[in-house]
Amino acid sequence: MVMFRLHPRANAAVPAAPALLLIVALYVSSDYVAGDLDGYWTAATAKAASALIFIAPVTAACAAWEAGRLRRAGIGDGTPTRNGWQIAAASLAPVALLGFLALAVALAVARLHMESAPGWPDARIIASACVILCAHIVAGYAIGMWLPAVAAVPVVLVGDYLWNVYPPALEPLWLRHLTRPAFGCCMNTSEAYPGAIAAPALMSAGLAALAVAAASLSRRTPRLGSLPRSVPHWGAALAVVATLVTTSTGVGLVDELGPDAVQARPESELVCDDVQGTRVCVWPEHASRLPETARTVSTAVERLRLVGVSPPDVVTESGLRPGRKEWTVTVRQDPGFTSQDMVTSLASDLAVTLVAGSHNESRTHCPADPATAAQQAYGSQDELGIWLSVRAGRSPQEARNSSDPRTWAPVGRVLDTSLSSQKDWFRTTLTQARCMPR
């Protein structure tokens, strides 16, 4: 009687684990992944899931190696006491555990790089990543049943890696959204597009069905139990149909997406406070800085009102409807992001909003040459942004140190004049900034 027992130390996942976990930790620690997580769990989960570009190929290669071990042992040629499903599960369980552990390490490292993390990782992205991981493992196992391990392992390792990293270089853009969940997600103002979470999972489910069918048709595969000979063939036909359905459905979910799988974050998530007639709203991960933000914003609004800038009704992180009555502000959990940085972000966005605020003004004062008009408009907008930031409360010394000396020179001169002169300069400069050719 042939028995098949699980020997974890002999499994390919054991020697592969240290190298894979180290690569995942280094990858997630890089600035490319952990550079701007800022307490937003959806972004952190998507960035952690991007480690699948390493996890999926390695685990799939381990699965191919395990299939090769079964081929060499001739399990499929005998009459084992367990059916093929049980044998495959026992062989692939350590490989799957390695994949899940690597995903957990990616999430843990991402958490270490977050300043604050209210809430929990995005369960939808994690579930999709787990489906993708399992599908790649099953595909590696199927290829290992058809090819000798010496060929299957490099084919799976290289092919799987290319499958994960090459689509972003291809057209159409939606191809990149079929390989891993929430590709390109996301800044605080955005959230993952649901279709781009489901699409790669559906694609992977079809791949897994096809891989199971391919493995069942291999004569090297351990028997699947007392089944008629026609069952594997009917199963293969059904797997092809399932693959076509899941692939077409997945493509339909993402075929209109651009390079990033994101959509606007709902404003209902904002946490708000009312200060001196102005409503100040931040995202929940920045709720601890709401009192500081409200004080900074209310001071800036009052200071800008004195020089002729109409106060807004709302100052928010959302930025969905920027306008004269709704300004935007940027907040970060990083303690190094100070109230001065908040003021700078507020003034920078406000300058853009004010310049774009009116399209009905006469343009008779603008240069006739479009190039000259554009140059004047850009220069005036830059000057306006610096002046607004100082008037809103930014340190003049800091503003001067971070500005081009040629841009700062006229701003520095006007800041030394009277309030009425600054109001006149503001109106004139704003008019010049609106000369941008349209």
Side-chain angles (χ1 to χ4, degrees):
M1 182 172 63
V2 179
M3 298 294 292
F4 184 87
R5 293 186 176 88
L6 176 62
H7 300 285
R9 288 183 297 176
N11 195 281
V14 176
L20 176 59
L21 297 180
L22 178 61
I23 290 172
V24 168
L26 292 175
Y27 169 74
V28 179
S29 298
S30 66
D31 289 339
Y32 171 74
V33 176
D36 192 26
L37 296 181
D38 192 44
Y40 185 27
W41 260 121
T42 298
T45 309
K47 294 291 183 66
S50 70
L52 282 171
I53 63 173
F54 301 109
I55 301 172
V58 171
T59 52
C62 289
W65 179 265
E66 289 303 306
R69 290 179 63 231
L70 296 179
R71 283 168 54 97
R72 293 192 302 273
I75 301 295
D77 299 328
T79 308
T81 57
R82 302 182 187 183
N83 65 38
W85 301 107
Q86 292 174 313
I87 293 173
S91 184
L92 297 181
V95 179
L97 287 175
L98 171 60
F100 296 146
L101 177 60
L103 281 174
V105 168
L107 282 169
V109 174
R111 173 62 184 87
L112 291 175
H113 287 83
M114 298 168 72
E115 296 294 339
S116 176
W120 299 93
D122 194 311
R124 302 170 303 164
I125 298 176
I126 295 175
S128 180
C130 289
V131 171
I132 294 169
L133 176 62
C134 291
H136 283 251
I137 291 173
V138 173
Y141 179 83
I143 294 173
M145 280 296 169
W146 280 93
L147 297 177
V150 68
V153 172
V155 166
V156 169
L157 189 63
V158 175
D160 201 314
Y161 181 75
L162 291 177
W163 165 257
N164 278 279
V165 302
Y166 196 60
L170 301 176
E171 294 282 354
L173 294 176
W174 51 260
L175 284 173
R176 68 187 63 190
H177 302 302
L178 296 176
T179 57
R180 67 174 186 258
F183 187 97
C185 177
C186 37
M187 301 295 290
N188 291 85
T189 54
S190 306
E191 66 175 5
Y193 182 72
I197 298 176
L202 286 171
M203 183 85 174
S204 298
L207 173 66
L210 203 60
V212 169
S216 67
L217 291 174
S218 172
R219 62 184 180 84
R220 302 279 189 171
T221 302
R223 65 184 180 83
L224 302 177
S226 300
L227 298 175
R229 290 182 177 273
S230 62
V231 170
H233 298 280
W234 280 108
L238 290 175
V240 171
V241 173
T243 301
L244 293 175
V245 171
T246 55
T247 300
S248 59
T249 303
V251 170
L253 291 174
V254 298
D255 64 344
E256 295 184 357
L257 285 180
D260 297 324
V262 297
Q263 64 184 14
R265 195 173 177 184
E267 292 186 324
S268 59
E269 295 184 12
L270 291 166
V271 180
C272 302
D273 190 16
D274 294 298
V275 181
Q276 298 180 359
T278 301
R279 190 167 183 79
V280 180
C281 300
V282 299
W283 296 117
E285 59 267 22
H286 300 148
S288 62
R289 300 198 72 170
L290 178 57
E292 176 192 359
T293 304
R295 290 193 302 270
T296 301
V297 166
S298 63
T299 301
V301 167
E302 181 59 26
R303 288 173 60 96
L304 290 171
R305 186 186 64 80
L306 296 176
V307 291
V309 182
S310 301
D313 294 331
V314 179
V315 178
T316 175
E317 279 199 273
S318 172
L320 280 179
R321 298 183 300 273
R324 291 177 180 267
K325 293 299 182 181
E326 182 170 310
W327 298 356
T328 58
V329 64
T330 300
V331 184
R332 292 283 182 267
Q333 276 295 341
D334 183 1
F337 191 88
T338 66
S339 58
Q340 291 279 293
D341 296 311
M342 295 180 195
V343 169
T344 302
S345 72
L346 178 70
S348 178
D349 293 343
L350 176 59
V352 175
T353 299
L354 292 175
V355 170
S358 177
H359 300 286
N360 300 320
E361 291 185 352
S362 171
R363 299 176 62 86
T364 57
H365 61 279
C366 297
D369 178 40
T372 304
Q375 184 178 9
Q376 172 187 286
Y378 278 124
S380 297
Q381 182 170 318
D382 289 342
E383 294 174 11
L384 192 63
I386 297 171
W387 178 81
L388 287 170
S389 68
V390 175
R391 290 304 317 178
R394 189 184 185 192
S395 164
Q397 182 67 33
E398 182 181 328
R400 181 175 62 184
N401 292 340
S402 61
S403 304
D404 186 308
R406 291 173 296 180
T407 306
W408 170 259
V411 177
R413 287 194 296 269
V414 77
L415 286 171
D416 292 332
T417 64
S418 64
L419 193 61
S420 60
S421 298
Q422 293 189 46
K423 288 181 179 180
D424 294 338
W425 179 90
F426 165 61
R427 287 189 290 268
T428 301
T429 305
L430 181 57
T431 301
Q432 293 173 349
R434 287 172 175 169
C435 285
M436 179 64 65
R438 299 186 178 91

